[in-house]
Amino acid sequence: MFNKTNETKVLRDPVHGYIHVKYQVIWDCINAKEFQRLHRIHQLGGDFQIYHTAEHSRFSHSLGVYEITRRMCEEVDAISATLSEYEKIQVLCAALLHDLGHGPFSHFFETLHKKHHEQMTCDLILDPETEIHQALIKEDESLPQNIVLILTHKHSKPLMYQMISSQLDADRMDYLLRDAYETGTSYGNFDLERILRTLRVKNDSLCVKLSGMHSVEDYIMARYHMYWQVYLHPDAKSYEIMIQQFFKRYSKIRNIDVFEPLMNGSLSNKEFYLMDEHRMFYGFQEALNSEDVILKDFANRILNRHLFEWIEDPTKQQIMEIKKKLEQQDFNLDYYYYEVVSHSKAYLPYTENDENQIIWMLNSKNELISLSSSSQIVKALLKMKNQTNKCIYFPKEII
Amino acid sequence: MFNKTNETKVLRDPVHGYIHVKYQVIWDCINAKEFQRLHRIHQLGGDFQIYHTAEHSRFSHSLGVYEITRRMCEEVDAISATLSEYEKIQVLCAALLHDLGHGPFSHFFETLHKKHHEQMTCDLILDPETEIHQALIKEDESLPQNIVLILTHKHSKPLMYQMISSQLDADRMDYLLRDAYETGTSYGNFDLERILRTLRVKNDSLCVKLSGMHSVEDYIMARYHMYWQVYLHPDAKSYEIMIQQFFKRYSKIRNIDVFEPLMNGSLSNKEFYLMDEHRMFYGFQEALNSEDVILKDFANRILNRHLFEWIEDPTKQQIMEIKKKLEQQDFNLDYYYYEVVSHSKAYLPYTENDENQIIWMLNSKNELISLSSSSQIVKALLKMKNQTNKCIYFPKEII
Amino acid sequence: MFNKTNETKVLRDPVHGYIHVKYQVIWDCINAKEFQRLHRIHQLGGDFQIYHTAEHSRFSHSLGVYEITRRMCEEVDAISATLSEYEKIQVLCAALLHDLGHGPFSHFFETLHKKHHEQMTCDLILDPETEIHQALIKEDESLPQNIVLILTHKHSKPLMYQMISSQLDADRMDYLLRDAYETGTSYGNFDLERILRTLRVKNDSLCVKLSGMHSVEDYIMARYHMYWQVYLHPDAKSYEIMIQQFFKRYSKIRNIDVFEPLMNGSLSNKEFYLMDEHRMFYGFQEALNSEDVILKDFANRILNRHLFEWIEDPTKQQIMEIKKKLEQQDFNLDYYYYEVVSHSKAYLPYTENDENQIIWMLNSKNELISLSSSSQIVKALLKMKNQTNKCIYFPKEII
Amino acid sequence: MFNKTNETKVLRDPVHGYIHVKYQVIWDCINAKEFQRLHRIHQLGGDFQIYHTAEHSRFSHSLGVYEITRRMCEEVDAISATLSEYEKIQVLCAALLHDLGHGPFSHFFETLHKKHHEQMTCDLILDPETEIHQALIKEDESLPQNIVLILTHKHSKPLMYQMISSQLDADRMDYLLRDAYETGTSYGNFDLERILRTLRVKNDSLCVKLSGMHSVEDYIMARYHMYWQVYLHPDAKSYEIMIQQFFKRYSKIRNIDVFEPLMNGSLSNKEFYLMDEHRMFYGFQEALNSEDVILKDFANRILNRHLFEWIEDPTKQQIMEIKKKLEQQDFNLDYYYYEVVSHSKAYLPYTENDENQIIWMLNSKNELISLSSSSQIVKALLKMKNQTNKCIYFPKEII
């Protein structure tokens, strides 16, 4: 009924062995230009500046999320039995396309672009002009709308969005494994096979058999470690600050063509398609010729990894000294001094504040209980005290 | 005597565990802008179009070659005893910098640029204006010249260039392991530990103890498999043809600023520094707006992976039919039909035609014998018959 | 129709991730005492004396062969479509049970026992007294007989025995991967996933699509390397000689109860069940108390790894010297000097001498062609010249 | 000064790549019969009944502990500088030999043998009759005594016993990695490289630089997971109970020669040498012929994996029913019903109750602080509530 490819197509993938594609609509989406564009957006933004092999793109990650979702659909009996073939196709498409709206240097880009990447993803899927939209409607007219319902958590079957966006979802599972593989750290590893084997559905919700509890604990710890060792690394933050300060300055100068569309608020879908990292870096190269010393300096810092140095939890004395040195050496503090305050609680790998964000376990009496009430480790984690950390950033040259 | 970093610096690397840096000059070279640029050149050109995770850069590979060379210097007793500390620093720098002169889409780039990447590497090292040059002379005035002697195989101690450029060298060993890791294929794996353990020096030449013969055979087979499964994959060739045909057309049009320096023959070192993949891809994006239909089409093919289809060893009949269809559908055969003839012999992973290209084994009587005379497998390989293969490429749409 | 376990049972396995069991008869066979006995037989005999972690048993390997066969039945479309469910169960049982008749120190044991392990396996399956037999007939009366037809290559569907016993079979594929994993060598690795993906059935025979040729070449090379690096290691041979000489002596003394049944030619099935490595080693311990100096010495050599030294391709001079020293030190040459002559041709990882032993490839015209006519590497291998090697073994103490 | 082997000897090991031996005394210890005996004692007792590939021996583990200790001595600057060459040899020997006194089915064996394995290890090292003792004094007369000082935590340099026996020691680090590798679970993995890189010595004590905190947290979690998933698995306990009940019965019967020495309390060192798993299993085989039905039954359960079933946290009702069924079916409750009460607190992977059992971290001010005061995760762990669990065991047949 639904169009299949001639034979199952396979794409070699170091994390999953192979990505398996048997629906024509999935194959067509992969070949759509908006999806191909994801090859031109790093998965981890500037983290390749810290972990030099973290050079993988959102293209690979998107295929990985699709593959885990496919295995959920085919190998988890409870899911396979709950969803119709059409619903499976919807959720597979949603998995594949969930990151379509990401710009370069992801979260920073959103502040410039003033549109969340989730919204952008939906816009691209719904726009009749995009190749993605055309690939989808070739299979079914209502597919774009249904995918958007999943991506916006409005679908009538919560299971369908839980599979790709919840506390235990294909998205996080792929990126932890993939980022660990690509950075060469072991921290992100957990037992995907066992989690898949213990997934169940109860009251239309995704849950995990109690015998899979240790795998889930391990997954939570993988998140914890990846946050602290990779995603929140101060040098990664430092690189992000370089880009942020560059555009803070640029907004006063406005002399580089490729950046201009970004300055006008919202991009059209066509402009967005072009706005990849190649274009951004070409822009930074152009800025090397700028007459503005500050803009030129930040372009050089971005291109050649002259990151700001940082001090965690500085004393007042230290802050004063740093500022003094900056002034003595004629650094403009608006650009060359930066403070970040973070709350450890905010980076907890898991919380149960919100009903929708609980990982549910299925106990031997076939009842749903929260992860924290079955795992002593997780319960302990939730009681962690909040800590507020300040970190200051400044040019290395002054010391 | 030579400047050391405060403590050994380590960079996490999935292939080698860690990259270890203890000399200041190595650290300074890594931070020079010409080296940082290597982050913007894919190691495998367009192979990420076939193996979607092959997104790693020459930056990582260069660090890997350095690390294997470092282990040779420190862990192989015969090398450690043969080379002075200064010679070790020379060869470490040469290992790190050997790919500095690579442009985007490597081999094709050379045809446009009319300068081999080896020559470009030497030019950058010798140019007093480059940060690399400055980093090197901060340690020692004669370092740039000595590194060039190694890279051009003119150094008086052949061992020094054999370590990084011979049939069994740090360069190949790193790229086989790394490309296998990043593509997710197992073909490139071999036992690096055992090869390092059995390396010896005899008559100033690198050689391998006979007990390491099976590891060397395995390494030769890894090369063989990577050639056929990855490096010579017809889809990779197809992507290369897209770029080639783009510039064949572009040479008649000349309307995109970022490509112009390339058209004038040789680039200055400064222009070369800017000529990375970001700039090239920005140029392809610009070509999407071209009024020339052919140029625009090839830009689209490059950006969105609309590769040519191919037929291996086509019959005359097939060739005629393809050409006829192309003409019927108004495709210009100068751009839309492409033949490649290759000789299997040319892709042998190992030959002994040239005295300098032999892998030498050290037998139990402490004599040097050629690999082929100790390994029956390799001897058999060398007797492989030559085969000539033709492969034709054309747009998928016509079938 | 066929009895299933409550839910699919899974056994964690480092080589395959998990072993999956859904048929009750498989589960019952695993729990039969003749199968549990395989935990008490090392997979690699005395190779743990050379690769100290090669301590795995035929139990694990048998599960592995079963698992690869299960994947062939379920994942290879051509096989899945060709075989009925009952035929699949037959071949799964045959895969699981194929090594049931192995004694300790495998091949040597056969010389004492005067019965090939293949014959012993069939005897145990057909004996109504064994738990294995009872487990099988609980599912189906004719199952034992059908399994024996497969194991003896007499089944009317050759595909069924090709899956577990041919040049490209589940048996070899598991032991190469497993022995590589357990010894910690990389040599035995090859791309199982890709081979499974390219398996086809043509004219009732197992074959491989031409696009899988490189995986098959890699598998052949894995066999080659494992032969030379692990299975034929002279120290492994030395350990085997210790056991052989022990029994050569023991046959003249006959004073240890646990060995006596072995001396009477054929063991009953009940005696065979008890004849595991524990019993053999208990016997060697007993021999430590023997009054016969030679028997006691070999027991000590076996228990405490005092292996014979060896010289490959000794000169006549060397042989004379060794013999002279042995005589001077009163070693009995009947026991303390041993020659092995081997022919390299005999250890080729692959030959095509015998029609039944060819690996068939399926070309693009859907014709079967031999591996050697599609692979230049393999063709070259088959032309390897025969070499005859002599190796002499003797006590280390004399030098 | 100290005797070296001709060249560094290497033993291939899947966990560490290679085990490196350069001191003759280490090589001689490995070849001593008391060390070779460790090949005949499973590292994980009966866990191969649950994880079928967990068939590795204490021999491999002992080499692994040695190798980690060797790396500490050579690669951790602070240790390398603190210890003399002679002290390094002492600690290397202690690492290699620390498990010498283990009997089969380790902890149960101690209850029969009435001697702790630690004491037995020391006895063997000090006994002038053992080959181990002789190997040691060939290097240095006082070596046995010094090794015992380390093993009994009485050495004047605490660092020396902390390296092999503390909360963060070579022993635990090897067994977590090795048991994870051999069972095929990922739980035991942690980043050994990074821990080694961040080890320091302060006030004569082993500690870890604060930048290694996440690696230490990961290691603690690896311990936690391995406890619950492998070491404390109820099926493993069930197998242990089979052996315990066998001997409870045997103590009333006393008819099997090989077990008799065990019944007389303490074994001589010579008897101990013979008491390996081969002998035990031979004894269980002998018991299959016993006229005592209970003894025979337990022998069969042990040999053929007829484990007791178990219920965790049974209700009173369930206990009563089980007991009733056992009585109805004439099972002797003294042997066929077994209760285990365990306290979760007792299985915490890490506590700081005891001053000596704290993992010390070195903060940026060069002060020692406890792990729990630097790691919020660990602090949370220590606050875990105690839970008391009951588990009952009984024959599966009754249900």
Side-chain angles (χ1 to χ4, degrees), chain C residues 12-14 33 39-40 52 55-57 60 181-182 258 273-274 276 278-279 282 285 303-304, chain D residues 12-13 33 39-40 52-53 55-57 60 181-182 258 273-274 276 278-279 282 285 303-304:
Chain C
R12 173 82 73 163
D13 184 83
K33 69 179 188 181
H39 252 318
R40 305 195 283 276
H52 61 263
E55 298 171 309
H56 54 303
S57 72
S60 310
Y181 187 88
E182 293 292 350
V258 294
Y273 165 72
L274 293 174
D276 60 18
H278 293 312
R279 183 166 284 251
Y282 172 71
Q285 284 193 359
L303 284 163
N304 298 318
Chain D
R12 174 81 73 161
D13 184 84
K33 70 181 188 178
H39 251 317
R40 304 193 286 272
H52 61 262
T53 51
E55 298 171 310
H56 53 304
S57 72
S60 308
Y181 187 89
E182 294 292 349
V258 293
Y273 164 73
L274 293 175
D276 58 20
H278 292 312
R279 183 166 286 252
Y282 173 72
Q285 284 193 358
L303 284 164
N304 298 317

Side-chain angles (χ1 to χ4, degrees), chain D residues 336-389:
Chain D
Y336 288 94
Y337 177 80
Y338 200 92
E339 280 187 18
V340 176
V341 175
S342 60
H343 305 279
S344 64
K345 206 81 182 189
Y347 298 119
L348 264 187
Y350 174 70
T351 62
E352 294 190 346
N353 301 331
D354 174 356
E355 177 81 6
N356 294 320
Q357 293 295 300
I358 293 174
I359 296 178
W360 293 104
M361 309 300 294
L362 194 66
N363 70 12
S364 54
K365 295 171 195 149
N366 207 26
E367 299 161 341
L368 292 176
I369 54 175
S370 71
L371 175 60
S372 72
S373 66
S374 38
S375 160
Q376 288 228 51
I377 287 276
V378 171
K379 186 186 285 174
L381 255 182
L382 293 186
K383 286 187 183 149
M384 264 175 59
K385 289 240 179 66
N386 199 1
Q387 283 183 318
T388 300
N389 292 292

Side-chain angles (χ1 to χ4, degrees), chain C residues 17-47:
Chain C
Y18 285 103
I19 312 288
H20 300 76
V21 179
K22 69 177 183 193
Y23 290 113
Q24 187 64 42
V25 62
I26 297 294
W27 192 244
D28 291 344
C29 283
I30 292 173
N31 289 305
K33 69 179 188 181
E34 294 84 8
F35 191 80
Q36 289 290 322
R37 170 187 169 278
L38 294 178
H39 252 318
R40 305 195 283 276
I41 308 285
H42 277 106
Q43 170 69 11
L44 288 179
D47 278 10

Side-chain angles (χ1 to χ4, degrees), chain D residues 115-380:
Chain D
K115 194 192 267 190
H116 283 296
H117 72 267
E118 292 91 346
Q119 182 57 49
M120 191 69 222
T121 300
C122 294
D123 289 358
L124 290 170
I125 289 170
L126 295 173
D127 178 353
E129 300 288 309
T130 61
E131 289 186 13
I132 280 292
H133 184 88
Q134 288 154 19
L136 294 170
I137 59 171
K138 221 171 71 188
E139 181 64 53
D140 180 83
E141 277 295 335
S142 62
L143 204 41
Q145 193 53 54
N146 279 319
I147 294 167
V148 167
L149 286 176
I150 296 173
L151 292 174
T152 53
H153 287 212
K154 290 179 185 149
H155 200 285
S156 57
K157 286 205 175 175
L159 171 63
M160 288 170 75
Y161 51 81
Q162 289 166 0
M163 288 166 68
I164 58 170
S165 166
S166 65
Q167 286 296 316
L168 186 70
D169 59 2
D171 184 13
R172 271 190 183 81
M173 290 199 269
D174 182 77
Y175 76 62
L176 290 173
L177 294 174
R178 189 169 301 276
D179 296 346
Y181 187 89
E182 294 292 349
T183 55
T185 62
S186 58
Y187 303 114
N189 283 325
F190 59 92
D191 190 348
L192 173 62
E193 297 301 316
R194 187 153 177 86
I195 289 185
L196 287 179
R197 278 193 47 77
T198 52
L199 278 183
R200 296 291 182 272
V201 177
K202 166 88 182 174
N203 305 346
D204 290 330
S205 267
L206 211 55
C207 57
V208 182
K209 235 180 108 179
L210 209 52
S211 67
M213 192 189 70
H214 288 291
S215 317
V216 176
E217 289 175 338
D218 204 25
Y219 157 85
I220 296 289
M221 291 309 295
R223 284 168 63 174
Y224 168 81
H225 284 300
M226 288 300 279
Y227 275 169
W228 289 103
Q229 297 291 80
V230 179
Y231 307 140
L232 302 176
H233 196 293
D235 280 339
K237 183 68 193 167
S238 183
Y239 187 74
E240 210 179 302
I241 292 168
M242 296 304 96
I243 291 168
Q244 197 169 327
Q245 302 300 73
F246 177 92
F247 280 103
K248 184 175 178 182
R249 185 66 181 178
Y250 181 75
S251 67
K252 303 198 175 133
I253 299 182
R254 312 285 299 264
N255 57 351
I256 298 173
D257 285 355
V258 293
F259 290 142
E260 278 305 291
L262 268 174
M263 295 294 125
N264 307 324
S266 185
L267 296 166
S268 73
N269 290 349
K270 272 194 184 160
E271 285 169 326
F272 176 82
Y273 164 73
L274 293 175
M275 201 52 80
D276 58 20
E277 290 185 17
H278 292 312
R279 183 166 286 252
M280 298 291 278
F281 271 92
Y282 173 72
F284 297 139
Q285 284 193 358
E286 287 293 285
L288 291 177
N289 301 321
S290 172
E291 290 183 4
D292 183 78
V293 181
I294 292 177
L295 193 72
K296 189 173 165 173
D297 179 53
F298 277 100
N300 185 43
R301 288 177 181 280
I302 290 165
L303 284 164
N304 298 317
R305 200 185 182 277
H306 296 181
L307 303 184
F308 278 7
E309 187 59 273
W310 42 270
I311 299 176
E312 274 188 321
D313 293 322
T315 61
K316 279 192 184 171
Q317 173 88 25
Q318 284 178 306
I319 295 180
M320 267 176 51
E321 277 170 26
I322 293 291
K323 286 191 174 170
K324 200 171 150 196
K325 282 184 185 166
L326 285 168
E327 279 161 358
Q328 283 170 344
Q329 297 179 40
D330 284 333
F331 280 102
N332 182 339
L333 266 70
D334 283 356
Y335 299 101
Y336 288 94
Y337 177 80
Y338 200 92
E339 280 187 18
V340 176
V341 175
S342 60
H343 305 279
S344 64
K345 206 81 182 189
Y347 298 119
L348 264 187
Y350 174 70
T351 62
E352 294 190 346
N353 301 331
D354 174 356
E355 177 81 6
N356 294 320
Q357 293 295 300
I358 293 174
I359 296 178
W360 293 104
M361 309 300 294
L362 194 66
N363 70 12
S364 54
K365 295 171 195 149
N366 207 26
E367 299 161 341
L368 292 176
I369 54 175
S370 71
L371 175 60
S372 72
S373 66
S374 38
S375 160
Q376 288 228 51
I377 287 276
V378 171
K379 186 186 285 174

